[in-house]
Amino acid sequence: MYLLDRFLRRLIQKGELTLIAPGGKKRAFGGRSPGPRVAIRLHERSLPWKLFLKPELASGEAYMDGTLTIEQGTLREFFDLITSNMGWQPENPLNSQNARIRRVRNFFLQYDSPIRARRSVAHHYDLSNELFRRLLDEEMHYSCAYFTADNPDHDLDRAQRDKSTLTSRKLLLGPGQTVLDIGCGWGALALHLHRRFDVDVTGITLSKQQHAVASERAAEAGVADDVRFHLRDYREISGEFDRIVSVGMFEHVGLPHHREFFEIVRDCLKPDGVALVHTIGRADGPGITDDWTAKYIFPKGYVPALSEIMKSVERAGLYVTDIEVLRLHYAYTLEEWQSRFRVRREEIARMHDERFCRMFEWYLAASEHAFRNMGHVVFQIQLARRQDAVPLTRDYLSKEHECRESS
């Protein structure tokens, strides 16, 4: 326990963490500054050593297995306590521990062939359509929603519709245009764009379950000739499109493939075309994927810094015509997903099992607080092959402009 004690005394400066050892002895850390007060109990004698060596992986696995339980407070309060103390400064103990070695290792682990990419996607997105139906909004968007001042109650369905509206404005859509949706999910955005703007949409995904649902939804809506979905890797795309959009997929591309991704966007975009990439990003510069997330949630996934993205965009010869940073929107989205998960937890446990539920709870709570306290944000990056492909000002993003255009 000695090494873990030293580590926690350095880490916990705000709030208080009480650690109950396997033998019942209690140790308190922090308590000098305001913050959450949480108590956790360790049920396995080897766990303190594991937590010191690999804190992120060991804590997540222990919670999943029930060898780490929360005796005071909630899981969300636990993550608020830990992440508010970690922050996103490079000198904090958890960030600096072996960070350079892990960064190099993660870079090479992100090399991904189309076959391996399919396996990585299946690991998470093919868990169960029924799980995601219980978790997501009515249209099944599995990405950051957009919470406006007109939505004070943080209604998730409204916020996801507002995200689709914002996305469509940035694409400057018009009737008859062709749109490529890279990472189309269950088809929600593609169907919205066709319904609202009468565009022809091709969506691609590597998830068999997403593909089946998206295709079924297009058929049920009677638009399968205009909105089609393919099981296809982005490296297998051919043809030219007026517009290209990718929402919540770029995090799976991996740093070694960034330049290739943007070169494909360039080659598939018509000379006067517009593209929009919506991705989770880091405000604190290049980082690493923690071991627990890489093992249990998103194999080969990586959340990039804007500096890493821009390097590849520049080398691909694309103009950056607009960047917007959505900060706490994903924290609010994840809070809503957790609320829905809690309401349907018994159903989900019957579909999967208790260990799965604890894994998913850990994932959602950890992700929420990465956006609240750890410098995670969402970038919406608008791209074009020509400088004059979009208007000189951002007036086209306003509701008033949309009303004038449609009148």
Side-chain angles (χ1 to χ4, degrees):
M1 290 287 291
Y2 171 72
L3 292 174
L4 181 61
D5 282 3
R6 285 192 61 188
F7 176 76
L8 291 174
R9 289 197 191 284
R10 288 179 61 204
L11 179 65
I12 307 300
Q13 303 296 318
K14 295 181 287 186
E16 183 175 282
L17 175 66
T18 300
L19 187 68
I20 307 172
K25 185 176 180 180
K26 294 183 179 180
R27 294 172 173 82
F29 305 93
R32 293 176 293 277
S33 301
R37 291 179 174 268
V38 178
I40 62 172
R41 183 183 294 272
L42 309 184
H43 299 270
E44 184 182 272
R45 293 195 177 278
S46 63
L47 191 51
W49 181 243
K50 294 177 182 176
L51 288 171
F52 172 73
L53 290 176
K54 292 188 175 183
E56 295 155 319
L57 179 62
S59 59
E61 290 185 331
Y63 184 80
M64 290 164 59
D65 295 335
T67 56
L68 183 157
T69 55
I70 298 177
E71 303 289 300
Q72 176 189 332
T74 65
L75 183 61
R76 290 183 67 222
E77 288 172 327
F78 168 77
F79 273 109
D80 190 23
L81 172 67
I82 298 299
T83 59
S84 63
N85 278 281
M86 288 171 62
W88 52 276
Q89 301 303 317
E91 62 270 17
N92 83 65
L94 200 56
N95 281 354
S96 59
Q97 188 170 320
N98 299 322
R100 184 174 297 177
I101 295 172
R102 292 168 67 193
R103 203 170 284 138
V104 173
R105 183 201 64 182
N106 280 9
F107 179 88
F108 288 103
L109 288 176
Q110 289 168 37
Y111 278 102
D112 214 3
S113 68
I115 293 175
R116 293 170 69 184
R118 285 180 170 86
R119 288 200 296 264
S120 297
V121 165
H123 180 90
H124 187 78
Y125 294 94
D126 284 343
L127 285 170
S128 161
N129 284 331
E130 293 308 312
L131 164 68
F132 290 109
R133 283 195 176 98
R134 286 160 173 77
L135 182 71
L136 306 179
D137 61 295
E138 60 185 359
E139 293 186 344
M140 295 183 72
H141 293 264
Y142 193 29
S143 56
C144 176
Y146 186 64
F147 295 88
T148 67
D150 295 336
N151 186 8
D153 297 325
H154 285 184
D155 178 81
L156 183 62
D157 293 293
R158 165 73 184 277
Q160 291 291 14
R161 289 194 296 271
D162 287 343
K163 190 266 300 292
S164 293
T165 299
L166 178 67
T167 301
S168 63
R169 286 175 183 161
K170 292 184 178 183
L171 287 170
L172 295 148
L173 294 168
Q177 289 178 336
T178 56
V179 180
L180 173 65
D181 183 357
I182 304 176
C184 61
W186 290 274
L189 178 62
L191 291 166
H192 170 88
L193 297 182
H194 173 74
R195 183 171 59 247
R196 175 68 179 80
F197 296 96
D198 192 25
V199 291
D200 181 280
V201 187
T202 298
I204 64 169
T205 176
L206 292 180
S207 165
K208 292 180 180 179
Q209 295 202 28
Q210 287 183 340
H211 175 257
V213 169
S215 299
E216 182 181 344
R217 292 173 72 181
E220 288 176 352
V223 297
D225 290 339
D226 302 309
V227 184
R228 65 203 65 79
F229 300 99
H230 302 292
L231 270 172
R232 191 169 297 168
D233 188 271
Y234 69 92
R235 288 161 287 195
E236 300 166 344
I237 300 169
S238 60
E240 281 192 324
F241 300 86
D242 295 296
R243 303 290 186 262
I244 297 177
V245 64
S246 181
V247 176
M249 177 271 178
F250 188 71
E251 303 91 320
H252 302 286
V253 169
L255 192 57
H257 303 286
H258 280 190
R259 183 173 178 179
E260 181 180 23
F261 176 88
F262 287 112
E263 286 175 346
I264 289 169
V265 169
R266 176 201 64 203
D267 293 343
C268 291
L269 194 62
K270 290 184 179 178
D272 60 348
V274 177
L276 184 72
V277 175
H278 168 124
T279 178
I280 300 172
R282 301 174 187 271
D284 57 339
I288 51 180
T289 302
D290 72 89
D291 291 338
W292 186 86
T293 301
K295 181 176 181 179
Y296 290 99
I297 307 299
F298 297 121
K300 299 187 179 299
Y302 176 67
V303 173
L306 190 61
S307 57
E308 295 173 305
I309 298 172
M310 288 300 100
K311 185 183 299 184
S312 297
V313 170
E314 291 165 0
R315 290 177 176 173
L318 289 165
Y319 285 101
V320 177
T321 48
D322 189 79
I323 298 177
E324 183 172 4
V325 182
L326 309 182
R327 288 162 289 110
L328 287 170
H329 293 268
Y330 219 152
Y332 297 149
T333 305
L334 285 151
E335 186 177 353
E336 292 300 315
W337 289 346
Q338 287 171 88
S339 177
R340 291 170 182 234
F341 189 92
R342 284 192 295 271
V343 170
R344 298 166 176 85
R345 194 184 193 283
E346 289 187 10
E347 297 175 52
I348 296 170
R350 288 194 295 270
M351 292 161 48
H352 297 276
D353 57 31
E354 178 63 22
R355 189 172 188 269
F356 175 88
C357 285
R358 292 170 75 86
M359 177 194 77
F360 223 82
E361 288 167 338
W362 187 270
Y363 151 60
L364 293 175
S367 298
E368 176 195 350
H369 288 89
F371 286 94
R372 291 196 184 277
N373 300 321
M374 295 291 292
H376 276 38
V377 296
V378 169
F379 301 127
Q380 284 199 335
I381 306 170
Q382 187 191 61
L383 304 165
R385 290 178 58 184
R386 288 188 351 203
Q387 275 191 319
D388 60 353
V390 302
L392 289 177
T393 69
R394 302 177 88 243
D395 293 348
Y396 61 91
L397 298 180
S398 70
K399 292 180 181 179
E400 293 76 13
H401 181 85
E402 185 176 77
C403 292
R404 290 198 301 269
E405 287 293 304
S406 58
S407 61

